[in-house]
Amino acid sequence: MLRIILLQLVAMVVAACTAGLLGGVSALWSALLGGICCFVPNGLFALRLYTSARKPGGANPMTFLFGEFIKIATTLALMGAVVWLYRDVNWLAFVLSFIVVLKSYLILLFRHRP
């Protein structure tokens, strides 16, 4: 889980830097905020699963489902906060960065280990 979260952090930084180079400061901040809207809820979800798995009895399906619900609600709340508080949102950079961070785990799936 930690590798996925770290990969998402790297993908967020790369997406933000790329957006900044191509679209300016507004695109950089939009891409960074879009990545944060995905990265933070996933990090909190991973932390919750990790702590639940360390308890006696381990994690159960309800812990996972409740955590997933909280992750989705947190993602939507963060997106709403960005739209409400940051008026210069570059929507292309915001959405593309969110998608890049969300799907960055695919890199680990296709990585071959010797």
Side-chain angles (χ1 to χ4, degrees):
M1 291 288 283
L2 181 62
R3 287 189 347 204
I4 291 172
I5 299 302
L6 289 175
L7 181 64
Q8 287 182 334
L9 179 64
V10 169
M12 179 180 65
V13 170
V14 168
C17 290
T18 303
L21 289 173
L22 296 176
V25 175
S26 176
L28 180 132
W29 282 108
S30 297
L32 189 62
L33 291 170
I36 286 172
C37 287
C38 185
F39 170 74
V40 169
N42 285 335
L44 293 174
F45 180 66
L47 181 63
R48 178 168 168 74
L49 280 181
Y50 177 76
T51 57
S52 294
R54 304 287 285 174
K55 290 181 187 175
N60 60 33
M62 285 308 292
T63 301
F64 181 82
L65 290 175
F66 183 70
E68 189 67 28
F69 174 76
I70 295 298
K71 182 176 88 167
I72 292 169
T74 305
T75 300
L76 292 174
L78 286 171
M79 286 180 153
V82 167
V83 170
W84 187 44
L85 296 172
Y86 184 58
R87 301 290 179 194
D88 285 338
V89 175
N90 180 320
W91 287 104
L92 182 63
F94 182 82
V95 171
L96 286 179
S97 175
F98 182 82
I99 292 170
V100 165
V101 174
L102 184 66
K103 295 301 178 186
S104 62
Y105 71 91
L106 291 173
I107 295 169
L108 289 178
L109 288 177
F110 293 112
R111 197 177 122 217
H112 296 280
R113 289 189 180 182

